[in-house]
Amino acid sequence: MYKLLVFTISISATTILSGCGTTSDKSKLQQDKMKTTSQFVYSPKGREEFVFNENNGNQNFRNFCKKERICSRTLNFEKYKGMRGYFKVEEPVVEGNWLYWPVVLENGEEYFYMAYKEKYISISGVIPLKEYQASQNFKAIPLVPNSETMLVSFKNSHGVRWYKTNTGKELSQKKVDILNEINSKFNAKPELIESLIDMRVDKDEFENTYTIKASKEIGFAANNYSLTLEIDSKGSLDLTAAIIYTGRSWLFANNYKIAADDYRWESENVAFTRENKGGKVWEFAVMTEDRNIIMLSQKLANADKSTIRILGDKGKYDLILNSVQKNNIKEVYNLYEAFKL
């Protein structure tokens, strides 16, 4: 009985030890297998890469579809910002104006990236990797040669490159390009170019002309008197004034009067353009540069009380300029004078 007991214990112990060893080995094998199957190596191999833009205004990333042509979800901004991905192919699947690329992300996820007409559209929130790397390595440069205003960094937001200056301003790539063109073509002083930073500056590519409006110009949204400076390809200056009336009833305007403090002046007949939209009537006239515009703009901008009475066959309207409107006139007029020097 003693021997049998010892034998039984020995067998049991061996079995237990053997069983423990087997369980451990199986567990290790399973873990190794899981690591092998779940492991992902991000390898673009020279294919075009992109980055989920960190400057996407905290908006989720769009146009990444699990199935081609089906995009019912967005990618969480916090999870994906700064993550890289690459296009699996150079040429997309084309469906009308929509383009579809299969893409692979840094975390191993795969999607169809959908874009409209162009690869990098603002709504998606992705930018080329090269563009992202350029922003990280950017060194400060002057706005224009010899300018004290420096472009110190840039970011890409909704498909547009925005520069930040050492004075805290933000300028689009388009505006920086236009300011440098004006500086180069017309040999403008750096200080003059710097004064354009806050102003509305546009270029007509067809006519090769530049138009400049005040920084707080309200446009056609309300009753207004405004100035616009136009510079043609030869550097000639054209200062125009616009009077805008909008309301519920037609005036059938044909001239106007000006009262600037004690000063009074009345125009001859003026051709007003009329439109009817948005439940309102619009009547406006644009006057080209002459001595009256220059003189009247000075009077209106510097008076304590400036009123323009718009007169028509069906009535009249008194446009009383506020401080913003008067400052807008000063801004453009002073710029006109500076360009003439």
Side-chain angles (χ1 to χ4, degrees):
M1 183 181 291
Y2 175 77
K3 288 182 180 180
L4 181 61
L5 180 61
V6 172
F7 178 76
T8 302
I9 294 172
S10 299
I11 292 297
S12 301
T14 303
T15 303
I16 292 168
L17 290 172
S18 176
C20 288
T22 302
T23 303
S24 176
D25 289 343
K26 283 182 179 179
S27 177
K28 185 174 186 303
L29 285 171
Q30 287 174 346
Q31 290 174 1
D32 289 344
K33 186 177 181 180
M34 287 174 63
K35 287 180 180 178
T36 302
T37 55
S38 64
Q39 188 177 25
F40 169 75
V41 177
Y42 180 74
S43 181
K45 295 182 179 178
R47 286 171 286 198
E48 184 178 354
E49 292 184 81
F50 58 85
V51 176
F52 288 93
N53 193 359
E54 296 170 344
N55 299 305
N56 200 44
N58 292 323
Q59 297 182 27
N60 289 344
F61 302 102
R62 302 175 61 180
N63 289 32
F64 286 85
C65 324
K66 271 300 184 181
K67 295 181 179 180
E68 191 176 325
R69 301 176 185 81
I70 302 176
C71 287
S72 59
R73 57 178 292 181
T74 60
L75 302 184
N76 182 268
F77 174 78
E78 290 298 332
K79 178 180 177 181
Y80 290 89
K81 66 178 181 180
M83 188 181 293
R84 290 162 62 167
Y86 66 84
F87 297 95
K88 293 177 71 174
V89 296
E90 291 186 8
E91 296 299 325
V93 174
V94 180
E95 184 84 17
N97 288 322
W98 289 99
L99 314 174
Y100 298 87
W101 280 271
V103 297
V104 179
L105 306 188
E106 211 168 6
N107 61 0
E109 295 177 359
E110 296 194 26
Y111 295 94
F112 283 98
Y113 168 66
M114 181 176 72
Y116 186 75
K117 292 185 178 181
E118 300 177 4
K119 181 178 284 187
Y120 293 100
I121 58 176
S122 61
I123 194 173
S124 68
V126 298
I127 56 175
L129 174 63
K130 291 181 179 179
E131 184 80 358
Y132 175 78
Q133 291 173 333
S135 69
Q136 300 300 303
N137 300 321
F138 184 74
K139 291 183 173 31
I141 57 173
L143 172 62
V144 294
N146 302 315
S147 172
E148 293 184 1
T149 299
M150 304 293 290
L151 306 178
V152 296
S153 64
F154 76 82
K155 66 180 181 181
N156 288 276
S157 179
H158 300 290
V160 178
R161 177 183 283 196
W162 289 90
Y163 290 94
K164 189 170 185 178
T165 71
N166 56 337
T167 57
K169 303 289 185 179
E170 287 194 343
L171 299 172
S172 67
Q173 179 70 66
K174 179 181 178 181
K175 186 160 187 178
V176 169
D177 291 342
I178 290 176
L179 295 185
N180 274 273
E181 282 184 24
I182 294 174
N183 175 72
S184 175
K185 285 184 178 181
F186 311 122
N187 197 27
K189 295 180 180 179
E191 296 80 11
L192 183 56
I193 298 299
E194 289 165 0
S195 71
L196 298 176
I197 288 176
D198 290 325
M199 301 185 76
R200 294 172 53 187
V201 185
D202 292 298
K203 181 182 180 182
D204 184 328
E205 296 287 349
F206 184 84
E207 298 290 348
N208 199 24
T209 58
Y210 305 90
T211 57
I212 304 171
K213 298 178 182 289
S215 56
K216 296 181 180 179
E217 180 56 59
I218 60 176
F220 278 30
N223 298 295
N224 192 27
Y225 175 95
S226 64
L227 292 181
T228 299
L229 176 61
E230 184 175 290
I231 310 174
D232 68 16
S233 58
K234 297 179 181 179
S236 298
L237 304 176
D238 185 17
L239 187 67
T240 60
I243 296 177
I244 304 159
Y245 161 77
T246 177
R248 297 292 180 183
S249 303
W250 291 107
L251 298 179
F252 289 96
N254 47 42
N255 78 316
Y256 62 96
K257 294 180 179 180
I258 281 179
D261 290 338
D262 295 330
Y263 178 79
R264 298 294 184 271
W265 182 89
E266 182 173 1
S267 74
E268 297 178 352
N269 284 344
V270 175
F272 277 78
T273 299
R274 297 175 180 85
E275 293 183 7
N276 188 347
K277 57 183 178 180
K280 291 184 177 182
V281 299
W282 302 72
E283 300 186 48
F284 55 92
V286 177
M287 286 73 69
T288 56
E289 179 190 350
D290 59 25
R291 288 182 304 171
N292 287 334
I293 289 178
I294 295 172
M295 179 269 294
L296 293 174
S297 295
Q298 288 179 309
K299 296 283 188 183
L300 290 169
N302 295 313
D304 291 327
K305 184 175 182 179
S306 299
T307 304
I308 301 172
R309 174 165 289 180
I310 304 170
L311 301 165
D313 295 336
K314 295 290 185 178
K316 63 183 179 181
Y317 177 81
D318 283 350
L319 168 59
I320 301 174
L321 301 182
N322 58 38
S323 59
V324 173
Q325 291 169 313
K326 287 191 282 189
N327 285 334
N328 286 344
I329 296 170
K330 285 181 185 178
E331 202 173 48
V332 178
Y333 178 78
N334 289 339
L335 183 68
Y336 169 74
E337 290 294 319
F339 265 107
K340 287 190 350 183
L341 296 177

